[in-house]
Amino acid sequence: MNKILVTGGCGYIGVHTIVDLVQNGYEVISVDNNSRSNIAILEGAEKIVGKKIKNYVVDLCNLKDTEMVFEENKDITGIIHFAAYKAVGESVEKPLMYYENNIGSLVNILKCAEKYAISNFVFSSSCTVYGNPDAIPVTEETPQKPAESPYGATKQMGEVIVCDAVKSNTIQAILLRYFNPVGSHPSTLIGEIPLGRPANLVPAITQTAIGKLPTMHVWGNDYDTRDGSCLRDYIHVCDIAHAHTLALNLLFGKQNKVNPEIFNLGTGDGFTVLEVIHAFEKTSGVKLNYTVGPRRGGDVVAIYANNNKAKTELNWQPKYSLDQMMDSAWKWELALQKA
Ligand code: WQD
C-alpha cells in the first residue's frame, strides 16, 4: 500500500482528498499546523473512511520540524502539497507573508522529497496562474498573464519551482490547476470551515442564507459578461479530490507522458455570480438577501476551463452539477449550525 503525505490535510480540499485517497487504497498521513484550519475536521474524515488519520502539527516553513515527519515515516512514497494561504484579498494587503509562507513551505517540502528520495509529487496549483486570459476557455497551454494578486503570483512561482525541481531530476510531478472548488462531501461530515468572514462566493451565500451574515454583496455587475457579474468555473470539491487520486495513480503507474504534467480541473462550464445565486435559491428554496456592490480589486472578469486533457489523460470525469454543488454546500452549512 502506498503511503502519501498530504500537507494541509486539515484544509478544505486536503480533507476531501484524504477521504478519496483512503477509499481508493492509499495510506495517508497529514501535515498541517492548523494556523488556517481546524484539526477537528479529521474526525469527520475518520468517520467516513472508518480509520484514524494521523496529523503532524508542523510548520512547513521550519525545515528541521518538517524533516522529523519524514524521519518518522520512511515509507512515504508520494506527496500532495496543499498547504498555502489562499485569500486573494489578504494577499494584496500582506504580500510578504504570502511569499514567505507559500514559497518557503514549498521549498522545504521539495527539499524533503529530494533528501528522502520521494519521487511522486502533486502540486496544488490554481486557475489564478492564468491571470485575466485573453480568450476562454483556457487550456493548459494558454499563456499565463501577470497574476492579479500576490496569491496568484505564489502559484505561478510555485509551478516554476516545481518544474525546476523536476529538471534537476529529483521528482516526477503533476500540477493540478483548480478552478473554483465549492460544495462538500455528500455525508455532510466534512466541508469548508471559513475563518472569519468568508471571502469566497459560496460560503458567503450559505452564511447569508442561514443568517450568520446579514447580507452579502455581489462585487460588480458592470462587467462584460452575459449578466454583468464575473464568470467562474465552479467545480465540486469531491471531483477535485478524486483528480488527486487519479494523478497519483498516473505517477505510480509511470503513465505520465511528460514531466511535469499539468491539468486544468474545472467542469468546462462557466457560471456568473448571479447565476450561482439563482441556482442556490432554486435548490435551497431560500431567497438570498444580497446587494450589488463595487468591483473587487484583483478579480478576473471571466475564466473557465477546457478540461479535455484531464478527461483523456487522467481519465477524470466531473460528476456534480451546479445545483448539486449548491445543495451540498447548503446541507453543510445546516450541519454546521447543528454542531
Ligand atoms: C468568485 C466570484 C467575486 C464573494 C478563488 C480562491 C482562490 C483560488 C481561485 C484556488 C468573484 C464574487 C465573491 C462575495 C462576490 N482557489 N464574490 N461576493 O476570487 O475566483 O478565487 O478561486 O486556488 O484561492 O479565492 O473566488 O469565490 O472569492 O470569487 O460577488 O461575497 O464571486 O467577486 O467574481 P475567486 P471567489
Short mmCIF file of all heavy atoms in Angstrom, two decimals, residues 13 85-89 124-128 151 155 178-182 197-205 213 216-220 223 229-232 234 273 277 294-296 298-301 303, ligand 1:
data_model
loop_
_atom_site.label_atom_id
_atom_site.label_comp_id
_atom_site.label_asym_id
_atom_site.label_seq_id
_atom_site.Cartn_x
_atom_site.Cartn_y
_atom_site.Cartn_z
N ILE A 13 -9.82 21.33 0.74
CA ILE A 13 -9.57 20.38 -0.34
C ILE A 13 -8.73 19.21 0.19
O ILE A 13 -8.95 18.05 -0.17
CB ILE A 13 -8.87 21.06 -1.54
CG1 ILE A 13 -9.69 22.26 -2.01
CG2 ILE A 13 -8.67 20.08 -2.68
CD1 ILE A 13 -9.02 23.11 -3.07
N TYR A 85 -1.45 29.73 2.07
CA TYR A 85 -2.51 30.73 2.30
C TYR A 85 -3.17 30.99 0.95
O TYR A 85 -2.52 30.98 -0.09
CB TYR A 85 -1.90 32.03 2.83
CG TYR A 85 -1.23 31.95 4.18
CD1 TYR A 85 -0.22 32.84 4.53
CD2 TYR A 85 -1.58 30.97 5.11
CE1 TYR A 85 0.42 32.78 5.76
CE2 TYR A 85 -0.96 30.90 6.34
CZ TYR A 85 0.04 31.80 6.66
OH TYR A 85 0.66 31.74 7.88
N LYS A 86 -4.49 31.26 0.96
CA LYS A 86 -5.14 31.35 -0.35
C LYS A 86 -6.19 32.45 -0.46
O LYS A 86 -7.04 32.43 -1.36
CB LYS A 86 -5.79 30.00 -0.66
CG LYS A 86 -6.94 29.64 0.25
CD LYS A 86 -8.14 29.30 -0.57
CE LYS A 86 -9.37 29.18 0.28
NZ LYS A 86 -10.58 29.31 -0.50
N ALA A 87 -6.14 33.44 0.42
CA ALA A 87 -7.14 34.51 0.32
C ALA A 87 -6.59 35.63 -0.57
O ALA A 87 -5.62 36.30 -0.23
CB ALA A 87 -7.48 35.06 1.70
N VAL A 88 -7.25 35.78 -1.72
CA VAL A 88 -6.76 36.74 -2.72
C VAL A 88 -6.63 38.14 -2.12
O VAL A 88 -5.59 38.79 -2.22
CB VAL A 88 -7.72 36.73 -3.94
CG1 VAL A 88 -7.43 37.86 -4.88
CG2 VAL A 88 -7.67 35.39 -4.64
N GLY A 89 -7.69 38.60 -1.44
CA GLY A 89 -7.68 39.96 -0.88
C GLY A 89 -6.60 40.15 0.16
O GLY A 89 -5.87 41.14 0.15
N SER A 124 -0.62 21.55 -5.66
CA SER A 124 -1.90 22.23 -5.69
C SER A 124 -1.74 23.60 -6.34
O SER A 124 -1.25 24.53 -5.70
CB SER A 124 -2.39 22.39 -4.25
OG SER A 124 -3.40 23.37 -4.18
N SER A 125 -2.09 23.69 -7.62
CA SER A 125 -2.00 24.97 -8.29
C SER A 125 -3.41 25.52 -8.53
O SER A 125 -4.36 25.07 -7.89
CB SER A 125 -1.24 24.86 -9.62
OG SER A 125 -0.98 26.16 -10.13
N SER A 126 -3.53 26.51 -9.38
CA SER A 126 -4.80 27.23 -9.43
C SER A 126 -4.98 27.92 -10.77
O SER A 126 -4.01 28.29 -11.43
CB SER A 126 -4.79 28.28 -8.31
OG SER A 126 -5.81 29.23 -8.53
N CYS A 127 -6.23 28.12 -11.12
CA CYS A 127 -6.53 28.86 -12.37
C CYS A 127 -6.08 30.30 -12.25
O CYS A 127 -6.01 31.02 -13.25
CB CYS A 127 -8.03 28.81 -12.66
SG CYS A 127 -9.05 29.56 -11.38
N THR A 128 -5.72 30.72 -11.05
CA THR A 128 -5.23 32.10 -10.90
C THR A 128 -3.93 32.30 -11.67
O THR A 128 -3.55 33.44 -11.95
CB THR A 128 -4.98 32.43 -9.41
OG1 THR A 128 -4.38 31.32 -8.77
CG2 THR A 128 -6.25 32.80 -8.71
N TYR A 151 -1.21 36.26 -4.17
CA TYR A 151 -1.58 34.85 -4.06
C TYR A 151 -1.37 34.15 -5.40
O TYR A 151 -0.71 33.11 -5.46
CB TYR A 151 -3.05 34.69 -3.62
CG TYR A 151 -3.58 33.32 -3.91
CD1 TYR A 151 -3.21 32.25 -3.11
CD2 TYR A 151 -4.37 33.07 -5.02
CE1 TYR A 151 -3.66 30.97 -3.39
CE2 TYR A 151 -4.81 31.80 -5.32
CZ TYR A 151 -4.46 30.76 -4.51
OH TYR A 151 -4.89 29.49 -4.81
N LYS A 155 1.41 31.06 -6.80
CA LYS A 155 1.08 29.84 -7.53
C LYS A 155 1.89 29.79 -8.84
O LYS A 155 2.39 28.74 -9.23
CB LYS A 155 -0.42 29.76 -7.82
CG LYS A 155 -1.26 29.47 -6.58
CD LYS A 155 -0.88 28.15 -5.91
CE LYS A 155 -1.73 27.85 -4.69
NZ LYS A 155 -1.34 26.58 -4.02
N TYR A 178 -6.71 24.09 -10.05
CA TYR A 178 -8.12 24.06 -9.67
C TYR A 178 -8.81 25.32 -10.17
O TYR A 178 -8.22 26.40 -10.11
CB TYR A 178 -8.31 24.06 -8.15
CG TYR A 178 -7.42 23.15 -7.38
CD1 TYR A 178 -6.99 23.51 -6.11
CD2 TYR A 178 -6.98 21.93 -7.88
CE1 TYR A 178 -6.17 22.68 -5.37
CE2 TYR A 178 -6.15 21.10 -7.15
CZ TYR A 178 -5.74 21.48 -5.90
OH TYR A 178 -4.92 20.68 -5.16
N PHE A 179 -10.05 25.19 -10.57
CA PHE A 179 -10.82 26.40 -10.84
C PHE A 179 -11.49 26.77 -9.52
O PHE A 179 -10.74 26.99 -8.54
CB PHE A 179 -11.70 26.16 -12.08
CG PHE A 179 -10.83 26.29 -13.32
CD1 PHE A 179 -9.84 25.36 -13.58
CD2 PHE A 179 -10.92 27.39 -14.15
CE1 PHE A 179 -8.95 25.51 -14.65
CE2 PHE A 179 -10.05 27.55 -15.24
CZ PHE A 179 -9.07 26.61 -15.48
N ASN A 180 -12.79 26.84 -9.41
CA ASN A 180 -13.34 27.30 -8.11
C ASN A 180 -13.96 26.15 -7.33
O ASN A 180 -15.12 25.82 -7.58
CB ASN A 180 -14.33 28.44 -8.34
CG ASN A 180 -13.62 29.72 -8.70
OD1 ASN A 180 -12.88 29.78 -9.69
ND2 ASN A 180 -13.80 30.74 -7.87
N PRO A 181 -13.23 25.58 -6.40
CA PRO A 181 -13.77 24.44 -5.64
C PRO A 181 -14.90 24.88 -4.72
O PRO A 181 -14.74 25.85 -3.95
CB PRO A 181 -12.57 23.95 -4.82
CG PRO A 181 -11.38 24.66 -5.39
CD PRO A 181 -11.88 25.93 -5.98
N VAL A 182 -16.03 24.19 -4.78
CA VAL A 182 -17.18 24.53 -3.92
C VAL A 182 -17.89 23.23 -3.50
O VAL A 182 -17.58 22.15 -4.00
CB VAL A 182 -18.20 25.44 -4.64
CG1 VAL A 182 -17.58 26.78 -5.02
CG2 VAL A 182 -18.78 24.74 -5.87
N ARG A 197 -15.03 36.19 8.29
CA ARG A 197 -15.98 36.46 7.21
C ARG A 197 -15.47 35.84 5.90
O ARG A 197 -14.35 36.09 5.50
CB ARG A 197 -16.16 37.97 7.03
CG ARG A 197 -17.27 38.31 6.03
CD ARG A 197 -17.38 39.80 5.75
NE ARG A 197 -18.36 40.04 4.70
CZ ARG A 197 -19.65 40.36 4.92
NH1 ARG A 197 -20.07 40.50 6.16
NH2 ARG A 197 -20.51 40.53 3.94
N PRO A 198 -16.26 35.00 5.25
CA PRO A 198 -15.77 34.31 4.06
C PRO A 198 -15.51 35.27 2.90
O PRO A 198 -16.35 36.15 2.63
CB PRO A 198 -16.89 33.34 3.72
CG PRO A 198 -18.10 33.84 4.41
CD PRO A 198 -17.64 34.62 5.60
N ALA A 199 -14.37 35.10 2.26
CA ALA A 199 -14.06 35.91 1.08
C ALA A 199 -14.69 35.28 -0.16
O ALA A 199 -15.06 35.97 -1.10
CB ALA A 199 -12.55 36.00 0.89
N ASN A 200 -14.82 33.94 -0.13
CA ASN A 200 -15.28 33.23 -1.32
C ASN A 200 -16.81 33.28 -1.45
O ASN A 200 -17.54 33.36 -0.47
CB ASN A 200 -14.81 31.77 -1.30
CG ASN A 200 -13.29 31.66 -1.37
OD1 ASN A 200 -12.69 30.88 -0.68
ND2 ASN A 200 -12.67 32.47 -2.22
N LEU A 201 -17.26 33.17 -2.69
CA LEU A 201 -18.68 33.37 -3.01
C LEU A 201 -19.61 32.39 -2.30
O LEU A 201 -20.56 32.81 -1.63
CB LEU A 201 -18.89 33.26 -4.53
CG LEU A 201 -20.34 33.39 -4.99
CD1 LEU A 201 -20.93 34.75 -4.64
CD2 LEU A 201 -20.45 33.12 -6.49
N VAL A 202 -19.34 31.09 -2.43
CA VAL A 202 -20.35 30.13 -1.97
C VAL A 202 -20.51 30.13 -0.45
O VAL A 202 -21.64 30.18 0.06
CB VAL A 202 -20.06 28.72 -2.54
CG1 VAL A 202 -20.99 27.69 -1.94
CG2 VAL A 202 -20.22 28.76 -4.07
N PRO A 203 -19.43 30.15 0.34
CA PRO A 203 -19.66 30.27 1.79
C PRO A 203 -20.32 31.61 2.18
O PRO A 203 -21.10 31.66 3.12
CB PRO A 203 -18.27 30.14 2.41
CG PRO A 203 -17.30 30.19 1.31
CD PRO A 203 -18.01 29.86 0.05
N ALA A 204 -20.06 32.65 1.41
CA ALA A 204 -20.75 33.93 1.69
C ALA A 204 -22.25 33.76 1.45
O ALA A 204 -23.09 34.25 2.22
CB ALA A 204 -20.18 35.04 0.81
N ILE A 205 -22.60 33.04 0.39
CA ILE A 205 -24.01 32.77 0.10
C ILE A 205 -24.65 31.96 1.22
O ILE A 205 -25.70 32.33 1.77
CB ILE A 205 -24.16 32.03 -1.25
CG1 ILE A 205 -23.84 32.95 -2.43
CG2 ILE A 205 -25.56 31.43 -1.40
CD1 ILE A 205 -23.81 32.25 -3.78
N LEU A 213 -24.58 35.91 8.36
CA LEU A 213 -24.27 37.24 7.80
C LEU A 213 -25.59 37.92 7.50
O LEU A 213 -26.52 37.27 7.00
CB LEU A 213 -23.43 37.11 6.52
CG LEU A 213 -22.04 36.49 6.64
CD1 LEU A 213 -21.43 36.30 5.25
CD2 LEU A 213 -21.14 37.36 7.51
N MET A 216 -25.07 39.86 1.81
CA MET A 216 -23.82 39.71 1.08
C MET A 216 -23.84 40.64 -0.13
O MET A 216 -24.90 41.19 -0.49
CB MET A 216 -23.61 38.27 0.64
CG MET A 216 -24.58 37.77 -0.40
SD MET A 216 -23.93 36.38 -1.32
CE MET A 216 -22.71 37.18 -2.36
N HIS A 217 -22.66 40.88 -0.69
CA HIS A 217 -22.57 41.78 -1.84
C HIS A 217 -22.15 41.01 -3.08
O HIS A 217 -21.32 40.09 -3.00
CB HIS A 217 -21.51 42.86 -1.57
CG HIS A 217 -21.79 43.65 -0.32
ND1 HIS A 217 -22.84 44.53 -0.20
CD2 HIS A 217 -21.18 43.65 0.90
CE1 HIS A 217 -22.86 45.05 1.02
NE2 HIS A 217 -21.86 44.53 1.71
N VAL A 218 -22.72 41.41 -4.19
CA VAL A 218 -22.23 40.95 -5.49
C VAL A 218 -21.22 42.01 -5.93
O VAL A 218 -21.59 43.17 -6.13
CB VAL A 218 -23.38 40.84 -6.51
CG1 VAL A 218 -22.84 40.58 -7.91
CG2 VAL A 218 -24.36 39.74 -6.09
N TRP A 219 -19.95 41.60 -6.01
CA TRP A 219 -18.91 42.59 -6.28
C TRP A 219 -18.86 42.97 -7.76
O TRP A 219 -18.02 42.53 -8.51
CB TRP A 219 -17.55 42.08 -5.80
CG TRP A 219 -17.45 41.80 -4.34
CD1 TRP A 219 -17.05 40.63 -3.74
CD2 TRP A 219 -17.75 42.70 -3.26
NE1 TRP A 219 -17.08 40.76 -2.38
CE2 TRP A 219 -17.51 42.00 -2.04
CE3 TRP A 219 -18.22 44.02 -3.18
CZ2 TRP A 219 -17.71 42.58 -0.79
CZ3 TRP A 219 -18.41 44.59 -1.94
CH2 TRP A 219 -18.16 43.89 -0.77
N GLY A 220 -19.83 43.77 -8.14
CA GLY A 220 -19.82 44.33 -9.50
C GLY A 220 -20.77 43.61 -10.43
O GLY A 220 -20.79 42.38 -10.51
N TYR A 223 -19.58 44.17 -15.55
CA TYR A 223 -18.52 43.54 -16.35
C TYR A 223 -19.06 43.13 -17.71
O TYR A 223 -20.29 43.01 -17.89
CB TYR A 223 -17.98 42.30 -15.61
CG TYR A 223 -17.13 42.58 -14.40
CD1 TYR A 223 -17.67 42.49 -13.12
CD2 TYR A 223 -15.78 42.92 -14.54
CE1 TYR A 223 -16.88 42.73 -11.99
CE2 TYR A 223 -15.00 43.16 -13.41
CZ TYR A 223 -15.55 43.06 -12.15
OH TYR A 223 -14.76 43.31 -11.04
N SER A 229 -22.07 40.19 -14.13
CA SER A 229 -21.28 39.74 -12.97
C SER A 229 -20.20 38.76 -13.45
O SER A 229 -20.31 38.18 -14.53
CB SER A 229 -22.19 39.09 -11.91
OG SER A 229 -22.84 37.94 -12.41
N CYS A 230 -19.17 38.61 -12.62
CA CYS A 230 -17.99 37.82 -13.05
C CYS A 230 -18.36 36.36 -13.28
O CYS A 230 -19.25 35.82 -12.65
CB CYS A 230 -16.90 37.88 -11.98
SG CYS A 230 -16.12 39.48 -11.84
N LEU A 231 -17.61 35.75 -14.18
CA LEU A 231 -17.86 34.36 -14.57
C LEU A 231 -16.72 33.46 -14.10
O LEU A 231 -15.54 33.80 -14.27
CB LEU A 231 -18.01 34.29 -16.10
CG LEU A 231 -18.39 32.94 -16.68
CD1 LEU A 231 -19.54 33.09 -17.67
CD2 LEU A 231 -17.20 32.28 -17.33
N ARG A 232 -17.06 32.31 -13.50
CA ARG A 232 -16.08 31.37 -12.99
C ARG A 232 -16.49 29.94 -13.34
O ARG A 232 -17.67 29.70 -13.64
CB ARG A 232 -15.96 31.46 -11.45
CG ARG A 232 -15.41 32.78 -10.93
CD ARG A 232 -13.93 32.94 -11.18
NE ARG A 232 -13.41 34.15 -10.57
CZ ARG A 232 -13.47 35.36 -11.14
NH1 ARG A 232 -14.07 35.48 -12.32
NH2 ARG A 232 -12.97 36.41 -10.54
N TYR A 234 -17.11 26.77 -11.51
CA TYR A 234 -17.27 26.18 -10.18
C TYR A 234 -17.25 24.66 -10.30
O TYR A 234 -17.95 24.10 -11.16
CB TYR A 234 -18.58 26.68 -9.54
CG TYR A 234 -18.54 28.18 -9.32
CD1 TYR A 234 -19.05 29.06 -10.28
CD2 TYR A 234 -17.93 28.73 -8.20
CE1 TYR A 234 -18.96 30.44 -10.11
CE2 TYR A 234 -17.85 30.11 -8.01
CZ TYR A 234 -18.35 30.96 -8.98
OH TYR A 234 -18.26 32.32 -8.82
N VAL A 273 -21.77 35.07 -11.16
CA VAL A 273 -22.11 35.19 -9.74
C VAL A 273 -23.64 35.14 -9.56
O VAL A 273 -24.17 34.42 -8.73
CB VAL A 273 -21.53 36.49 -9.15
CG1 VAL A 273 -22.01 36.72 -7.72
CG2 VAL A 273 -20.01 36.47 -9.21
N ILE A 277 -26.02 32.43 -7.55
CA ILE A 277 -27.00 32.83 -6.52
C ILE A 277 -28.38 32.26 -6.87
O ILE A 277 -29.07 31.69 -6.01
CB ILE A 277 -27.04 34.36 -6.37
CG1 ILE A 277 -25.76 34.86 -5.68
CG2 ILE A 277 -28.29 34.81 -5.60
CD1 ILE A 277 -25.63 36.38 -5.61
N PRO A 294 -19.51 47.54 -5.31
CA PRO A 294 -18.46 47.89 -6.28
C PRO A 294 -17.62 46.68 -6.68
O PRO A 294 -17.67 45.65 -6.02
CB PRO A 294 -17.59 48.90 -5.51
CG PRO A 294 -17.80 48.56 -4.07
CD PRO A 294 -19.22 48.06 -3.95
N ARG A 295 -16.90 46.80 -7.75
CA ARG A 295 -16.00 45.74 -8.16
C ARG A 295 -14.96 45.46 -7.06
O ARG A 295 -14.61 46.36 -6.30
CB ARG A 295 -15.25 46.17 -9.43
CG ARG A 295 -16.14 46.28 -10.65
CD ARG A 295 -15.30 46.63 -11.86
NE ARG A 295 -16.10 46.60 -13.11
CZ ARG A 295 -15.56 46.64 -14.33
NH1 ARG A 295 -14.24 46.74 -14.46
NH2 ARG A 295 -16.32 46.59 -15.41
N ARG A 296 -14.47 44.22 -7.00
CA ARG A 296 -13.45 43.84 -6.01
C ARG A 296 -12.10 43.82 -6.71
O ARG A 296 -11.95 43.17 -7.76
CB ARG A 296 -13.77 42.46 -5.44
CG ARG A 296 -12.82 41.95 -4.39
CD ARG A 296 -13.28 40.62 -3.80
NE ARG A 296 -13.04 39.50 -4.73
CZ ARG A 296 -13.20 38.22 -4.38
NH1 ARG A 296 -13.66 37.90 -3.18
NH2 ARG A 296 -12.95 37.26 -5.25
N GLY A 298 -8.56 42.90 -7.96
CA GLY A 298 -7.90 41.60 -8.17
C GLY A 298 -8.79 40.59 -8.85
O GLY A 298 -8.35 39.49 -9.19
N ASP A 299 -10.05 40.93 -9.06
CA ASP A 299 -10.96 39.96 -9.68
C ASP A 299 -10.69 39.80 -11.17
O ASP A 299 -10.56 40.79 -11.90
CB ASP A 299 -12.42 40.39 -9.49
CG ASP A 299 -13.04 39.75 -8.27
OD1 ASP A 299 -12.50 38.74 -7.79
OD2 ASP A 299 -14.07 40.26 -7.79
N VAL A 300 -10.65 38.55 -11.60
CA VAL A 300 -10.61 38.24 -13.03
C VAL A 300 -12.04 38.36 -13.56
O VAL A 300 -12.98 37.99 -12.85
CB VAL A 300 -10.07 36.79 -13.20
CG1 VAL A 300 -10.37 36.23 -14.58
CG2 VAL A 300 -8.59 36.75 -12.89
N VAL A 301 -12.23 38.89 -14.78
CA VAL A 301 -13.60 39.10 -15.28
C VAL A 301 -14.28 37.77 -15.56
O VAL A 301 -15.38 37.49 -15.05
CB VAL A 301 -13.58 39.92 -16.59
CG1 VAL A 301 -15.02 40.16 -17.10
CG2 VAL A 301 -12.88 41.26 -16.36
N ILE A 303 -13.38 33.44 -16.47
CA ILE A 303 -12.47 32.34 -16.77
C ILE A 303 -13.21 31.02 -16.56
O ILE A 303 -14.01 30.90 -15.63
CB ILE A 303 -11.19 32.38 -15.90
CG1 ILE A 303 -10.18 31.34 -16.39
CG2 ILE A 303 -11.50 32.25 -14.41
CD1 ILE A 303 -8.78 31.53 -15.81
C1 WQD B 1 -15.69 34.35 -7.15
C2 WQD B 1 -16.55 35.48 -7.68
C3 WQD B 1 -16.09 37.60 -6.65
C4 WQD B 1 -17.64 36.78 -2.68
C5 WQD B 1 -10.90 31.62 -5.63
C6 WQD B 1 -9.99 31.49 -4.46
C7 WQD B 1 -8.58 31.28 -4.87
C8 WQD B 1 -8.49 30.27 -5.97
C9 WQD B 1 -9.42 30.58 -7.12
C10 WQD B 1 -7.92 28.02 -5.51
C11 WQD B 1 -15.75 36.77 -7.88
C12 WQD B 1 -17.54 37.15 -6.39
C13 WQD B 1 -17.25 36.62 -4.00
C14 WQD B 1 -18.71 37.65 -2.36
C15 WQD B 1 -18.96 38.15 -4.69
N1 WQD B 1 -8.81 28.98 -5.47
N2 WQD B 1 -17.92 37.30 -4.97
N3 WQD B 1 -19.35 38.30 -3.39
O1 WQD B 1 -11.75 35.08 -6.45
O2 WQD B 1 -12.34 33.35 -8.20
O3 WQD B 1 -10.73 32.84 -6.29
O4 WQD B 1 -10.74 30.61 -6.56
O5 WQD B 1 -6.77 28.14 -5.76
O6 WQD B 1 -7.90 30.79 -3.72
O7 WQD B 1 -10.08 32.68 -3.72
O8 WQD B 1 -13.22 33.08 -5.91
O9 WQD B 1 -15.23 32.85 -4.53
O10 WQD B 1 -13.58 34.69 -3.96
O11 WQD B 1 -14.98 34.87 -6.03
O12 WQD B 1 -19.55 38.78 -5.59
O13 WQD B 1 -19.12 37.84 -1.16
O14 WQD B 1 -17.56 35.78 -6.72
O15 WQD B 1 -16.04 38.99 -6.88
O16 WQD B 1 -16.25 37.45 -9.02
P1 WQD B 1 -12.01 33.68 -6.80
P2 WQD B 1 -14.26 33.87 -5.00
#
